[in-house]
Structures are given as C-alpha cells and as structure tokens.
Amino acid sequence: MQPLIDTALWLTRKRRALARPVEGADFLMRRAAEDLADRLGAVERRFGKAAALFCQTSAAAQVLADSGKVGEILRVEMDEALLAGNPGLVAPPETVPFEENSLDLVVCLLSLHAMNDIPGVLAQIRRALRPDGLFLGALAGAGTLAELRESMLAAETELYGGASPRILPFTDVRDAGALLQRAGLALPVADVETVAVRYDTLFDLAADLRAMGETNALLARSRRPAGRRLFARAAEIYAERFSDPDGRIRASFPIVWMSGWAPDASQQKPLKPGSAKVSLKTILESPSKG
C-alpha cells in the first residue's frame, strides 16, 4: 500500500498543539466524546475490559468511566506526551497492542483518518475483540474542510498555474461501512454527522487547525512555503463563495461514526434469501382493511 499520510509529522503536530493549548480549539473532540456517550448509552450491556485507542486526550476514557458500563479501561496513545502523565500504553501508529480475544470494547476517536492502513487497523481491532465485543469509532469524513480545499485550490491555480494537495483524502460513509465488513465485524453500521462552524476569516480557521494539530501532513505536500499572498487570495475566495449574510465564513466537519461487533453465535443474523414464510407479492396483492 502506497502511504499518503506522513504519520510522524501528524504526531509531531499533535505534540506541538498539546504543548501550546488554545482554549476552545478542542471543540471537535468534545463533540465526539458527547456523541460517544450517547451511543454507548444506547447499548444495553456491560463491558469487562475496554481500550480507548489513539483518542489523543482523556475525553473518551472519561466517557467510558462515567458510563458505569465498563470494568477496566486502558488508554493507548502514539506518544507519552498524549497521555499527559496519566496511566496508559504507548504503541506505534497503526498498531493495536492487545492479545487476540482480550477486549470487550474498543473506542477510537478522530485519529483513523490520519492512518495509511485503515483496513489493517480495523482488522487488528477485530482480532483483539472477544466474541460479541464492540467497536465504536469516529473519524473525519468526506467533505471535511471542503470549503477550504476549494478556496486553496482556486487561489493556488490562479497564482501559480497549478496546485499541490493540502487537505487529506477523507473516507465517505459508504466506504466506512464496507471497511467494517472487510475487517470481519458483524452488524456493521456507519453514519455521518456534520458539524458546521463559523469563523470571521480563513485565518481564524487556520489557527484552530494548528491548535488541533490538523494541518497538512500529506506526504505529497509541496515543500515550498506557502506565502502570505496565497492565503490572502484564498481568504478572499473563501469569503466570496462560502460566507453567510453577516460576512462570516462556514467550515464543514463531517464526522463519520462506525460501529461493529466481533462475530458471535448469539447475534441476530439476516434471513437467507427465499426463507420468508410469506412472499412480498402476496402482501402487496392482499386487500387492505380500513
């Protein structure tokens, strides 16, 4: 597989963002943690051992603890700095450091989109889950920063006659469902929730992305420094195409949620084709009562 993302650079920028925290810049992680709480709350069961895998902050582990549904919780991060002095394991990117059939629940928030081998990570998660164990994950989805992508592309093409990649290629919700199936997870479900955020200018959005550690980490990125002229023109295009009546601009952050279960004999299974007791034709042709 040809890697697209410089994972080491992504991690370096995460460490830098952690060292220079900006109040409020963690809004996407807070939203993902709130959604995780809702989704976990809808599951009517307890989990003996859970892993918060590459969730970057303690938010996911705190949700698991607050749910009252999890016995043991382990945090796994790519760097000691992300643990911020809290207990946990450090593992290389795209590595799930657990024995086969050792976990009842795995959650992963807002890091899968920065991994080159998402199918491989999901397969490792599937292997680590015990039968009827649950995976819940959230990643930035297709359409994330679409407005910024279009504005930067237009500005760079106009000024330099061509453009270099600046925004990650994100997974859409249909592909997310297929990835769950490919990993061997049962009862796969994928859905998307879009968070729309408004800013005064493109520069305010860029500041938030730096504070999140989510600036360009593509291996194919241009090594030529992007000058003020490029960003100034991109900001003009952004305001022209994506501003609200009050002059503020919009930024889209679709979050794709994925859930799947390690296969188990107790789970519901779809009926085999032709096993229905009554045909659809009979139902449609029967006279209605009313």
Side-chain angles (χ1 to χ4, degrees):
M1 177 180 294
Q2 183 69 30
L4 298 175
I5 300 162
D6 188 338
T7 311
L9 177 61
W10 181 83
L11 182 56
T12 296
R13 290 176 173 166
K14 288 292 178 180
R15 287 194 297 260
R16 183 189 307 161
L18 182 66
R20 305 171 186 172
V22 175
E23 185 177 359
D26 62 344
F27 64 90
L28 282 180
M29 183 59 72
R30 286 188 280 110
R31 172 63 179 268
E34 291 170 2
D35 288 348
L36 173 63
D38 290 341
R39 290 166 186 268
L40 192 59
V43 180
E44 296 295 331
R45 60 167 292 182
R46 286 186 54 82
F47 302 92
K49 186 176 181 180
L53 181 69
F54 303 141
C55 294
Q56 308 167 55
T57 75
S58 62
Q62 190 62 53
V63 167
L64 299 183
D66 292 344
S67 73
K69 295 183 174 184
V70 182
E72 182 183 359
I73 302 166
L74 297 172
R75 276 189 67 190
V76 182
E77 298 294 353
M78 301 180 199
D79 191 272
E80 190 76 35
L82 296 175
L83 290 169
N86 295 308
L89 304 174
V90 175
E94 307 189 19
T95 301
V96 180
F98 294 101
E99 297 291 331
E100 185 175 3
N101 299 332
S102 62
L103 299 172
D104 301 293
L105 172 65
V106 175
V107 299
C108 184
L109 298 188
L110 302 184
S111 61
L112 281 171
H113 59 265
M115 297 184 184
N116 286 296
D117 187 12
I118 298 176
V121 175
L122 292 177
Q124 291 179 68
I125 291 171
R126 157 68 186 86
R127 179 178 179 275
L129 286 170
R130 294 188 179 112
D132 208 31
L134 174 63
F135 166 66
L136 285 172
L139 68 160
T144 295
L145 298 173
E147 304 90 349
L148 179 61
R149 184 196 301 271
E150 181 177 326
S151 300
M152 292 296 297
L153 176 63
E156 197 166 10
T157 302
E158 176 185 313
L159 295 176
Y160 305 123
S164 62
R166 296 185 180 275
I167 309 293
L168 297 181
F170 296 107
T171 303
D172 69 27
V173 67
R174 290 169 297 182
D175 289 339
L179 287 170
L180 291 167
Q181 291 181 313
R182 177 176 172 181
L185 289 161
L187 308 175
V189 176
D191 61 271
V192 61
E193 296 185 4
T194 299
V195 179
V197 185
R198 301 205 312 151
Y199 292 92
D200 289 336
T201 69
L202 176 150
F203 298 101
D204 299 296
L205 167 59
D208 259 3
L209 293 176
R210 284 193 297 273
M212 295 177 196
E214 290 288 355
T215 48
N216 188 0
L218 286 166
L219 285 167
R221 68 191 182 278
S222 172
R223 269 48 174 187
R224 179 180 62 186
R228 177 82 182 184
R229 181 182 175 214
L230 172 61
F231 282 103
R233 180 60 185 130
E236 292 173 349
I237 294 171
Y238 205 130
E240 291 167 2
R241 300 184 183 183
F242 304 109
S243 62
D244 290 331
D246 62 1
R248 304 190 77 199
I249 62 171
R250 287 166 277 113
S252 298
F253 296 92
I255 298 176
V256 172
W257 276 94
M258 311 167 72
S259 70
W261 298 80
D264 183 73
S266 66
Q267 294 165 351
Q268 290 183 334
K269 294 178 174 61
L271 293 174
K272 295 181 180 179
S275 63
K277 302 298 183 183
V278 181
S279 71
L280 178 60
K281 180 175 184 291
T282 300
I283 295 172
L284 294 176
E285 292 180 348
S286 64
S288 60
K289 297 180 181 180

